[in-house]
Amino acid sequence: MAEDFERWRDSVSTAFVPLDVVSTGSSLFEGGLCSSTLGAMQLSEVAGCEVDVRRTRATIKRADPGLIKVGLQVTGHGVVAQRDRQAVLAPGDFAVYDTSEPYDLHFGETFSMFVLMFPRDLLRMGSRDLSTVSARRIHGDRGVGALVSPFLAGLRRGLVSDTLPTSPKIEDAVLDLLRAALDDAAPHQGPAATLLMEARSVIENRLGEPNLTTATMAAHLHISTRYLQKLFESDGCTVAGWIRSRRLEKCHRDLVDPRLEQQSIGTICARHGLIDSSSFSKLFKDAYGMSPRAHRATRAP
């Protein structure tokens, strides 16, 4: 439904995060917004004409939920600016930006943009890595971007037609593809950064092994445990902490997967390497503020 500027501005700030929005056009404004969810992700299509959108330090102070946004240009052209970088987007291009830092969006013509928004922890990138890829244009017709852009466009069609998939696996696929595109777009990484990415990839593939530890990972990578710890600490975490958080995220997802409703909580946590049920319950409650059983009860019927 078309909205006038005042209603559209309020709708955009409510749907996303607090924003300053200014109409820069001289003609009558028309815009629209539709949103839905996919797991922990919010999917939206926003349309309008000739506007500047700003996330300032003042609006960040009003609310900073720690979210990542991915903007796929659908029609028209747009500019995403953050950290002294600008991504000029044509249809099919996309860029990632962090709501915890100031950013600007500029649209000088009629446009529509598909926007994914999700907690930054899901991206599994440290602050340093994220800062190097925010507001970088990812071309929709080359490199890994040529694989990701059609996938995002498919989600956008599902949003518009109210036929979005419901499987939690789709959420994982979206995040995996985004990480691949960001890795491809990042400036050249040094040996330490490359080794850290390899370590994270190995951990992801071996989460189901209860004996996965700092020592076994270091042995697999043929480096010392001290050096492995140093790699992870440079990004603000520990090896054990990373393994634990990834296991908990997998369990958090599976507990509300309707296809797994016949599986016990013990079976689910053991599948991801957490074989001590009582210890798992405490870790889960510390991380998410509720017990695994209570979280499972939130599953939509």
Side-chain angles (χ1 to χ4, degrees):
M1 179 190 299
E3 298 183 0
D4 62 25
F5 176 71
E6 300 296 332
R7 289 178 58 197
W8 183 87
R9 180 189 61 192
D10 292 344
S11 296
V12 167
S13 276
T14 300
F16 299 117
V17 289
L19 298 164
D20 291 335
V21 186
V22 178
S23 175
T24 59
S26 56
S27 58
L28 183 66
F29 180 92
E30 284 192 3
L33 173 71
C34 64
S35 296
S36 187
T37 58
L38 177 63
M41 295 182 168
Q42 176 180 302
L43 285 65
S44 304
E45 180 167 13
V46 58
C49 55
E50 297 177 286
V51 293
D52 286 342
V53 180
R54 298 185 181 92
R55 176 77 164 153
T56 64
R57 297 198 181 281
T59 54
I60 291 171
K61 286 182 179 179
R62 284 165 52 193
D64 180 19
L67 302 172
I68 297 297
K69 295 174 78 172
V70 181
L72 172 72
Q73 197 72 32
V74 179
T75 62
H77 292 75
V79 178
V80 178
Q82 188 170 59
R83 282 184 162 263
D84 298 321
R85 279 194 298 272
Q86 286 192 349
V88 180
L89 306 180
D93 297 337
F94 60 96
V96 171
Y97 43 109
D98 185 350
T99 66
S100 295
E101 297 189 24
Y103 63 79
D104 293 342
L105 307 176
H106 172 71
F107 303 98
E109 58 186 325
T110 300
F111 74 94
S112 60
M113 176 176 271
F114 175 63
V115 182
L116 281 175
M117 186 168 70
F118 52 86
R120 65 180 298 164
D121 289 349
L122 293 184
L123 195 56
R124 305 201 303 273
M125 292 183 71
S127 299
R128 184 180 303 174
D129 291 338
L130 182 58
S131 69
T132 67
V133 294
S134 62
R136 288 190 183 277
R137 179 185 183 183
I138 301 179
H139 295 263
D141 59 356
R142 68 186 72 167
V144 180
L147 300 175
V148 181
S149 181
F151 188 86
L152 295 178
L155 288 179
R156 177 251 170 191
R157 289 192 295 272
L159 168 67
V160 173
S161 63
D162 197 24
T163 58
L164 281 171
T166 58
S167 170
K169 300 292 186 183
I170 299 297
E171 183 181 1
D172 284 346
V174 173
L175 292 166
D176 287 342
L177 284 169
L178 285 175
R179 279 190 291 273
L182 293 175
D183 286 344
D184 188 53
H188 176 71
Q189 302 280 353
T194 301
L195 187 55
L196 178 59
M197 286 191 292
E198 181 183 357
R200 287 176 173 171
S201 177
V202 173
I203 288 172
E204 197 70 15
N205 292 327
R206 297 178 60 180
L207 285 174
E209 301 176 17
N211 62 346
L212 182 62
T213 64
T214 303
T216 58
M217 277 300 304
H220 178 90
L221 296 168
H222 307 290
I223 59 177
S224 69
T225 55
R226 183 176 180 181
Y227 183 52
L228 181 60
Q229 286 284 27
K230 185 176 179 181
L231 289 175
F232 276 79
E233 287 169 0
S234 69
D235 211 31
C237 62
T238 65
V239 182
W242 182 264
I243 293 172
R244 181 172 59 250
S245 67
R246 291 301 303 133
R247 283 172 167 165
L248 288 172
E249 286 176 24
K250 294 285 188 180
C251 294
H252 187 267
R253 178 202 66 194
D254 286 359
L255 284 169
V256 291
D257 187 339
R259 298 169 303 172
L260 305 177
E261 62 183 351
Q262 299 303 318
Q263 294 187 9
S264 69
I265 292 175
T267 298
I268 288 174
C269 66
R271 179 165 60 247
H272 299 300
L274 296 166
I275 57 177
D276 184 336
S277 296
S278 60
S279 176
F280 164 68
S281 294
K282 184 179 185 306
L283 289 171
F284 192 95
K285 189 170 184 178
D286 288 344
Y288 298 106
M290 66 175 69
S291 69
R293 189 176 302 278
H295 173 60
R296 192 168 221 184
T298 65
R299 183 184 62 230

